[in-house]
Each structure stands twice: as structure tokens, then as C-alpha cells.
Amino acid sequence: MLRPIVKYGTASLQAPAQAVTTFDPSLHALIDDMIETMYAAPGIGLAAPQVGVPLRLCVIDLSSGARGADVIVLANPEFVEREGMQLEEEGCLSVPGFQATCPRPARVVVKGQGRDGQDVVVEGTGLFARALQHEIDHLDGRLFLDRLRSLQRDLIVRKIRKMQRQDRW
Ligand code: NI
């Protein structure tokens, strides 16, 4: 089932999410909905707070469904290692229409739990490292806008506020 993706300005995007504690059929239904919603957008990552659910859960698929088996489900992800720095354009399904060059670590190692609560460790460089950091930020109530220089961030926020006033957001 597709779930609506909430946009910048929604409270669930700005609050830290809570740990996933129960890996039951309702969590599996949420995971399946998130994957379907990510592919439909289309996007390469989606965090539960983006569909209004305040849980530490995200899905990532750099192919956005093109290769099928590549989706990664991460509950309660935590950084084990973070190193280096990369600068690339970044966007977010909750901030549609805006992209900005955002600093991120070049390589990360993340541990968390999979769909059934099993321990998983993933290592990422390049775009995958960026996606992992972006989604974990969502679980901490942070958007890529918060990683930009304030001048750059303010410019985008001003444009969004104007669209909100005109009912176009
Ligand atoms: Ni995002």
C-alpha cells in the first residue's frame, strides 16, 4: 500500500524517532509499504518518519527497484565507523524540487537490525554512504537542509515558506 510522504514542515520530520522493538506482521506491513512508496516516488531511500511513523526504520535501494533484490531494510541503525568527506548534490522526497551540494562522510559502517530483527552490518562508500547518513539523519529528526551552510539553507527555506503561503507545498 502506498503511503503519503510528508513534506518539510511536518512535525514527524523534526523529532527523533523511537527504537523498533517488535518485529511483527504490522512492522513487516510497514516495511513493505515503505519499499513500495519509495519505488513509486521514485527514490533511493525512505525513512519511517517520512510516512508519519516515528520509528527508527529505513529502507534503501540505490537502483530504486530496477534490480529488485537490492533493497536494504535497517531498523535501529547506528554508525560504527565514519570517515572521509564527499561533496555531492543531494535531495529528499520530503523536500521535493530542491537539491543542494551537501557534505557527507565518504565511507560509513552501520550496524542495525534487518526485517526480522537479525543483526546486520553494512558498509558503504560513495552514494551508498550518503544514503545511509541521509536516512539515519531522518531518524534523528534532521534533514539534509540542516547540513548546509546557513545561507544556502535559508534560501531554500524561504522559497518553501513562500510556496506554503501560496498553498503550493
Ligand atoms: Ni530524505
Side-chain angles (χ1 to χ4, degrees):
M1 186 183 78
L2 289 179
R3 300 197 184 207
I5 298 175
V6 298
K7 293 183 189 174
Y8 173 89
T10 306
S12 69
L13 291 178
Q14 283 158 327
Q18 289 165 9
V20 175
T21 55
T22 315
F23 295 82
D24 62 1
S26 76
L27 187 83
H28 290 161
L30 172 63
I31 290 168
D32 292 342
D33 287 354
M34 285 172 59
I35 292 170
E36 193 182 338
T37 303
M38 170 176 71
Y39 289 165
I44 62 167
L46 190 70
Q50 292 184 275
V51 292
V53 179
L55 285 178
R56 301 190 74 80
L57 174 70
C58 63
V59 295
I60 294 173
D61 183 342
L62 297 187
S63 81
S64 194
R67 288 195 296 270
D70 290 349
V71 66
I72 285 163
V73 175
L74 275 176
N76 306 321
E78 282 173 43
F79 290 107
V80 181
E81 291 176 38
R82 255 185 290 197
E83 64 178 13
M85 210 273 275
Q86 54 167 316
L87 270 175
E88 296 292 339
E89 284 268 297
E90 189 167 321
C92 177
L93 294 175
S94 293
V95 192
F98 293 95
Q99 290 201 319
T101 302
C102 184
R104 295 289 189 185
R107 175 182 170 271
V108 299
V109 178
V110 172
K111 68 169 184 176
Q113 290 169 280
R115 189 183 167 86
D116 295 302
Q118 76 277 25
D119 289 338
V120 293
V121 176
V122 293
E123 179 183 351
T125 58
L127 181 62
F128 188 35
R130 173 171 298 276
L132 285 163
Q133 166 101 63
H134 180 111
E135 299 312 325
I136 293 173
D137 269 358
H138 274 303
L139 309 184
D140 294 328
R142 205 176 288 142
L143 296 171
F144 80 98
L145 301 178
D146 302 315
R147 300 273 182 193
L148 306 179
R149 283 172 315 193
S150 58
L151 205 69
Q152 210 179 0
R153 179 181 187 281
D154 291 349
L155 188 70
I156 294 176
V157 168
R158 268 205 303 278
K159 287 181 181 168
I160 292 173
R161 294 231 171 94
K162 190 177 174 192
M163 291 169 83
Q164 285 171 327
R165 283 196 302 274
Q166 296 170 339
D167 235 1
R168 293 192 294 126
W169 186 248

